[in-house]
Amino acid sequence: MLAEIRIDNLGAISSACAQFHAGLTVLTGETGAGKTMVVTSLHLLSGARADAGRVRVGAARAIVEGRFHVDESAPQVDREVARLLESCGAERDEDGSIIAVRTVGGDGRSRAHLGGRSVPAGVLSEFTDPLLTVHGQNDQLRLLRPDQQRGALDRFADKTIAPLLARYRKHRGEWTEARAELIERTSRARELVQEADQLTFALEEIDRIAPTPGEDADIVNEVRRLGDLDSLHTAAEGAQAALVGLDDGGVDGGTGALDLLGEARARIESSDDPALSGLGPRLGEAMAVVADVSGELSGYLSGLPSDPGALDNLLTRQAELKTLTRKYAADIDGVLEWAESARERLARIDTSADALAALTARVEESAKLTAEAAVKLSSARSKAASKLAKAVSDELAGLAMGRAALDVSVRVREAGPNDSAPLTVDGREVHAGGSGIDEVEFRLAAHSGAQALPISKSASGGELSRVMLALEVVLAGSDRGATMVFDEVDAGVGGRAAVEIGRRLARLARTHQVIVVTHLPQVAAFADTHLVVDKTDDVRSGVDSGVRTLTEDERVVELARMLAGLDDTETGRAHAEELLAIAGQERSTAPA
């Protein structure tokens, strides 16, 4: 839910802050006061394209900041938001809320921040997608798109359609993958045979040399060691001679460190002075260390290569390994990885008759399963379509469209001549898209007996807004907890129809946070919270607007103003009080 929004230098608003609560919030104000800027700010927080023309004249940038709370009754949404925050390093505030910020410069450049981290605008869109739905004055045009209409139908029957759609997509993915592989093998048979020959030759070469992991690095170290063999041998022998007293011939030729330590120990231990004789054990320890080192030097000398051809053998092996690293990878570990990938690729491009037959059978089986899943999905959509049409038509009856009826058409989309993946279903080729084989179209009959036409041709702007509102009311149970924003959804209506719009918005607000920009007092009267955008006109600074929350007494004055400017008359205020009383009574007695 949207808890708070702050706007700086956006359109007519120099600085404004508004707090939002659960239920229905209405936003009113005189024409030109800047009500639509609140909706624009929410568009910006939703990742919409930034428009430098919206930056207040004379300001360097416009800033919009929103604070969101995730509804605890929507654990799946909370998990999605948590995953997104973690992926971009964003953090929640101390109270668990999440702050989103969008900045738009006068040069058109924009920046986005989420949870204290700079993020692309697209991340804001992903963040607000499950939390916020904005129906601006032009957003109802989205309802004209076939994919949006299909999506609305799927939302309506989500429990039935979602598992069927998931199953269809699974089988379709397997089918398209196998089909693409079969097409590649058959259309590029000659190229694939050549590729297979090249891979086979390369793998035979690698297997013949048979490198081991890290062998090239080990050989480099060993070659360096053998190159220094003489100096290493001299150093080790000299050290051992100094320790044990050997001459250049390797025989006992004098006194070494071990002998000298033994003599020193004997002299000390023969003394009667406790202080002096106490040093004997320490000399014993020194003799043990010298003896250990001498033994290790003997082992080291015996381990040094004595074969004069060992270096040549290593250099020959190194040359063989370099043949592989020049062709396949930068080092032997990379060569081994390349070989593993090559074996997998070679297994996939088997062009033998048996392999093609097996792959063909796989394609046919997966196509059959995809077709079966598509038929079940299409059948479920057809059943849900009639229920959705009736529910929306019932809602339209109370929105000044009493004789209008919505028809939801579900039909199979035939495959075109250049269809990339035609699927045979019941003997005919159809287009198997990512969401099924169906085309969903909303048709509106303006009155009883009228022909149902696509809503793009039969609905005016005001009617389209009401169709959207009716649809949202019907779908309200499928996505509890989201924030819905309507900008002048009541355009073009009045009287009793306006009261019905207010009633339906109030009903929608039982399961959602609803924010409405309206000119109609009949709608505003149903609000749980009433915000007003005030406009001041200064000669030097120009028009400036702010947002404030109205008290009950102030609501009466504002509703009276909306009643044809009757705020300064007793009649207008009495009418406003009557509207509030009626709306309050209907809210308290209406079924949940």
Side-chain angles (χ1 to χ4, degrees), residues 265-287:
R265 180 184 180 188
R267 289 178 179 274
I268 287 175
E269 289 179 344
S270 64
S271 172
D272 293 332
D273 186 351
L276 186 60
S277 60
L279 297 176
R282 294 174 63 185
L283 286 174
E285 293 174 2
M287 291 175 66

mmCIF file of all heavy atoms in Angstrom, residues 265-287:
data_model
loop_
_atom_site.group_PDB
_atom_site.id
_atom_site.type_symbol
_atom_site.label_atom_id
_atom_site.label_comp_id
_atom_site.label_asym_id
_atom_site.label_seq_id
_atom_site.Cartn_x
_atom_site.Cartn_y
_atom_site.Cartn_z
ATOM 1 N N ARG A 265 77.989 -29.735 24.051
ATOM 2 C CA ARG A 265 77.052 -30.327 25.013
ATOM 3 C C ARG A 265 77.821 -31.158 26.061
ATOM 4 O O ARG A 265 77.505 -31.106 27.258
ATOM 5 C CB ARG A 265 76.045 -31.204 24.269
ATOM 6 C CG ARG A 265 75.033 -31.869 25.184
ATOM 7 C CD ARG A 265 74.137 -32.796 24.386
ATOM 8 N NE ARG A 265 73.156 -33.440 25.242
ATOM 9 C CZ ARG A 265 72.346 -34.402 24.845
ATOM 10 N NH1 ARG A 265 72.404 -34.832 23.586
ATOM 11 N NH2 ARG A 265 71.480 -34.940 25.694
ATOM 12 N N ALA A 266 78.811 -31.914 25.578
ATOM 13 C CA ALA A 266 79.596 -32.740 26.508
ATOM 14 C C ALA A 266 80.335 -31.875 27.506
ATOM 15 O O ALA A 266 80.401 -32.203 28.711
ATOM 16 C CB ALA A 266 80.572 -33.617 25.720
ATOM 17 N N ARG A 267 80.930 -30.779 27.099
ATOM 18 C CA ARG A 267 81.678 -29.896 27.997
ATOM 19 C C ARG A 267 80.741 -29.285 29.044
ATOM 20 O O ARG A 267 81.103 -29.169 30.224
ATOM 21 C CB ARG A 267 82.369 -28.796 27.200
ATOM 22 C CG ARG A 267 83.535 -29.321 26.360
ATOM 23 C CD ARG A 267 84.153 -28.172 25.552
ATOM 24 N NE ARG A 267 85.262 -28.636 24.762
ATOM 25 C CZ ARG A 267 86.529 -28.745 25.163
ATOM 26 N NH1 ARG A 267 86.831 -28.442 26.442
ATOM 27 N NH2 ARG A 267 87.476 -29.176 24.374
ATOM 28 N N ILE A 268 79.571 -28.877 28.633
ATOM 29 C CA ILE A 268 78.635 -28.233 29.557
ATOM 30 C C ILE A 268 78.129 -29.226 30.593
ATOM 31 O O ILE A 268 78.056 -28.955 31.801
ATOM 32 C CB ILE A 268 77.467 -27.600 28.779
ATOM 33 C CG1 ILE A 268 77.944 -26.345 28.041
ATOM 34 C CG2 ILE A 268 76.302 -27.255 29.726
ATOM 35 C CD1 ILE A 268 76.899 -25.729 27.151
ATOM 36 N N GLU A 269 77.759 -30.414 30.108
ATOM 37 C CA GLU A 269 77.186 -31.393 31.030
ATOM 38 C C GLU A 269 78.219 -31.939 32.015
ATOM 39 O O GLU A 269 77.848 -32.481 33.063
ATOM 40 C CB GLU A 269 76.577 -32.545 30.224
ATOM 41 C CG GLU A 269 75.312 -32.138 29.475
ATOM 42 C CD GLU A 269 74.727 -33.297 28.666
ATOM 43 O OE1 GLU A 269 75.457 -34.289 28.458
ATOM 44 O OE2 GLU A 269 73.546 -33.196 28.252
ATOM 45 N N SER A 270 79.503 -31.799 31.662
ATOM 46 C CA SER A 270 80.546 -32.271 32.610
ATOM 47 C C SER A 270 80.780 -31.280 33.732
ATOM 48 O O SER A 270 81.488 -31.577 34.686
ATOM 49 C CB SER A 270 81.872 -32.513 31.848
ATOM 50 O OG SER A 270 82.375 -31.294 31.318
ATOM 51 N N SER A 271 80.200 -30.117 33.658
ATOM 52 C CA SER A 271 80.395 -29.090 34.687
ATOM 53 C C SER A 271 79.504 -29.390 35.880
ATOM 54 O O SER A 271 78.400 -29.921 35.745
ATOM 55 C CB SER A 271 80.071 -27.710 34.098
ATOM 56 O OG SER A 271 80.079 -26.741 35.129
ATOM 57 N N ASP A 272 80.023 -29.004 37.064
ATOM 58 C CA ASP A 272 79.235 -29.177 38.275
ATOM 59 C C ASP A 272 78.317 -27.988 38.552
ATOM 60 O O ASP A 272 77.500 -28.023 39.459
ATOM 61 C CB ASP A 272 80.181 -29.368 39.486
ATOM 62 C CG ASP A 272 80.953 -30.688 39.375
ATOM 63 O OD1 ASP A 272 80.394 -31.620 38.741
ATOM 64 O OD2 ASP A 272 82.065 -30.741 39.910
ATOM 65 N N ASP A 273 78.477 -26.939 37.785
ATOM 66 C CA ASP A 273 77.655 -25.735 37.991
ATOM 67 C C ASP A 273 76.259 -25.975 37.416
ATOM 68 O O ASP A 273 76.104 -26.191 36.211
ATOM 69 C CB ASP A 273 78.319 -24.543 37.302
ATOM 70 C CG ASP A 273 77.577 -23.241 37.599
ATOM 71 O OD1 ASP A 273 76.466 -23.289 38.193
ATOM 72 O OD2 ASP A 273 78.072 -22.178 37.197
ATOM 73 N N PRO A 274 75.231 -25.944 38.257
ATOM 74 C CA PRO A 274 73.860 -26.192 37.753
ATOM 75 C C PRO A 274 73.445 -25.214 36.667
ATOM 76 O O PRO A 274 72.728 -25.594 35.731
ATOM 77 C CB PRO A 274 72.990 -26.038 39.008
ATOM 78 C CG PRO A 274 73.926 -26.269 40.150
ATOM 79 C CD PRO A 274 75.268 -25.750 39.717
ATOM 80 N N ALA A 275 73.831 -23.984 36.779
ATOM 81 C CA ALA A 275 73.424 -22.973 35.787
ATOM 82 C C ALA A 275 73.995 -23.318 34.419
ATOM 83 O O ALA A 275 73.344 -23.133 33.385
ATOM 84 C CB ALA A 275 73.889 -21.588 36.233
ATOM 85 N N LEU A 276 75.226 -23.820 34.411
ATOM 86 C CA LEU A 276 75.878 -24.153 33.141
ATOM 87 C C LEU A 276 75.372 -25.488 32.601
ATOM 88 O O LEU A 276 75.041 -25.608 31.413
ATOM 89 C CB LEU A 276 77.397 -24.209 33.349
ATOM 90 C CG LEU A 276 78.245 -24.393 32.089
ATOM 91 C CD1 LEU A 276 78.017 -23.250 31.117
ATOM 92 C CD2 LEU A 276 79.742 -24.471 32.459
ATOM 93 N N SER A 277 75.258 -26.470 33.457
ATOM 94 C CA SER A 277 74.816 -27.783 32.986
ATOM 95 C C SER A 277 73.356 -27.757 32.531
ATOM 96 O O SER A 277 72.913 -28.598 31.756
ATOM 97 C CB SER A 277 75.008 -28.826 34.093
ATOM 98 O OG SER A 277 74.246 -28.478 35.238
ATOM 99 N N GLY A 278 72.606 -26.759 33.030
ATOM 100 C CA GLY A 278 71.202 -26.647 32.615
ATOM 101 C C GLY A 278 71.042 -26.290 31.150
ATOM 102 O O GLY A 278 69.952 -26.422 30.583
ATOM 103 N N LEU A 279 72.125 -25.833 30.507
ATOM 104 C CA LEU A 279 72.038 -25.493 29.079
ATOM 105 C C LEU A 279 72.160 -26.722 28.199
ATOM 106 O O LEU A 279 71.932 -26.669 26.989
ATOM 107 C CB LEU A 279 73.145 -24.491 28.721
ATOM 108 C CG LEU A 279 73.078 -23.126 29.435
ATOM 109 C CD1 LEU A 279 74.297 -22.302 29.053
ATOM 110 C CD2 LEU A 279 71.807 -22.405 29.059
ATOM 111 N N GLY A 280 72.546 -27.859 28.795
ATOM 112 C CA GLY A 280 72.743 -29.079 28.017
ATOM 113 C C GLY A 280 71.513 -29.514 27.231
ATOM 114 O O GLY A 280 71.599 -29.833 26.037
ATOM 115 N N PRO A 281 70.314 -29.578 27.866
ATOM 116 C CA PRO A 281 69.121 -30.009 27.117
ATOM 117 C C PRO A 281 68.828 -29.122 25.906
ATOM 118 O O PRO A 281 68.350 -29.610 24.877
ATOM 119 C CB PRO A 281 68.009 -29.924 28.156
ATOM 120 C CG PRO A 281 68.703 -30.114 29.468
ATOM 121 C CD PRO A 281 70.032 -29.433 29.317
ATOM 122 N N ARG A 282 69.085 -27.854 26.032
ATOM 123 C CA ARG A 282 68.808 -26.953 24.905
ATOM 124 C C ARG A 282 69.731 -27.258 23.735
ATOM 125 O O ARG A 282 69.334 -27.214 22.573
ATOM 126 C CB ARG A 282 68.958 -25.506 25.363
ATOM 127 C CG ARG A 282 67.898 -25.124 26.395
ATOM 128 C CD ARG A 282 68.134 -23.743 26.970
ATOM 129 N NE ARG A 282 68.035 -22.723 25.935
ATOM 130 C CZ ARG A 282 68.298 -21.420 26.154
ATOM 131 N NH1 ARG A 282 68.688 -21.021 27.364
ATOM 132 N NH2 ARG A 282 68.192 -20.544 25.180
ATOM 133 N N LEU A 283 71.028 -27.599 24.063
ATOM 134 C CA LEU A 283 71.940 -27.999 22.996
ATOM 135 C C LEU A 283 71.512 -29.335 22.396
ATOM 136 O O LEU A 283 71.663 -29.570 21.191
ATOM 137 C CB LEU A 283 73.376 -28.102 23.551
ATOM 138 C CG LEU A 283 74.069 -26.759 23.824
ATOM 139 C CD1 LEU A 283 75.415 -26.988 24.507
ATOM 140 C CD2 LEU A 283 74.261 -25.991 22.508
ATOM 141 N N GLY A 284 70.914 -30.197 23.244
ATOM 142 C CA GLY A 284 70.395 -31.458 22.719
ATOM 143 C C GLY A 284 69.283 -31.221 21.702
ATOM 144 O O GLY A 284 69.187 -31.898 20.669
ATOM 145 N N GLU A 285 68.424 -30.235 22.017
ATOM 146 C CA GLU A 285 67.348 -29.899 21.086
ATOM 147 C C GLU A 285 67.918 -29.373 19.776
ATOM 148 O O GLU A 285 67.421 -29.703 18.688
ATOM 149 C CB GLU A 285 66.435 -28.858 21.723
ATOM 150 C CG GLU A 285 65.647 -29.387 22.928
ATOM 151 C CD GLU A 285 64.876 -28.283 23.623
ATOM 152 O OE1 GLU A 285 64.937 -27.116 23.141
ATOM 153 O OE2 GLU A 285 64.204 -28.555 24.643
ATOM 154 N N ALA A 286 68.960 -28.546 19.893
ATOM 155 C CA ALA A 286 69.581 -28.002 18.684
ATOM 156 C C ALA A 286 70.165 -29.113 17.831
ATOM 157 O O ALA A 286 70.072 -29.103 16.596
ATOM 158 C CB ALA A 286 70.653 -26.979 19.044
ATOM 159 N N MET A 287 70.791 -30.117 18.476
ATOM 160 C CA MET A 287 71.369 -31.243 17.740
ATOM 161 C C MET A 287 70.279 -32.043 17.017
ATOM 162 O O MET A 287 70.456 -32.501 15.886
ATOM 163 C CB MET A 287 72.139 -32.156 18.709
ATOM 164 C CG MET A 287 73.405 -31.541 19.273
ATOM 165 S SD MET A 287 74.191 -32.590 20.522
ATOM 166 C CE MET A 287 74.659 -33.995 19.489
#
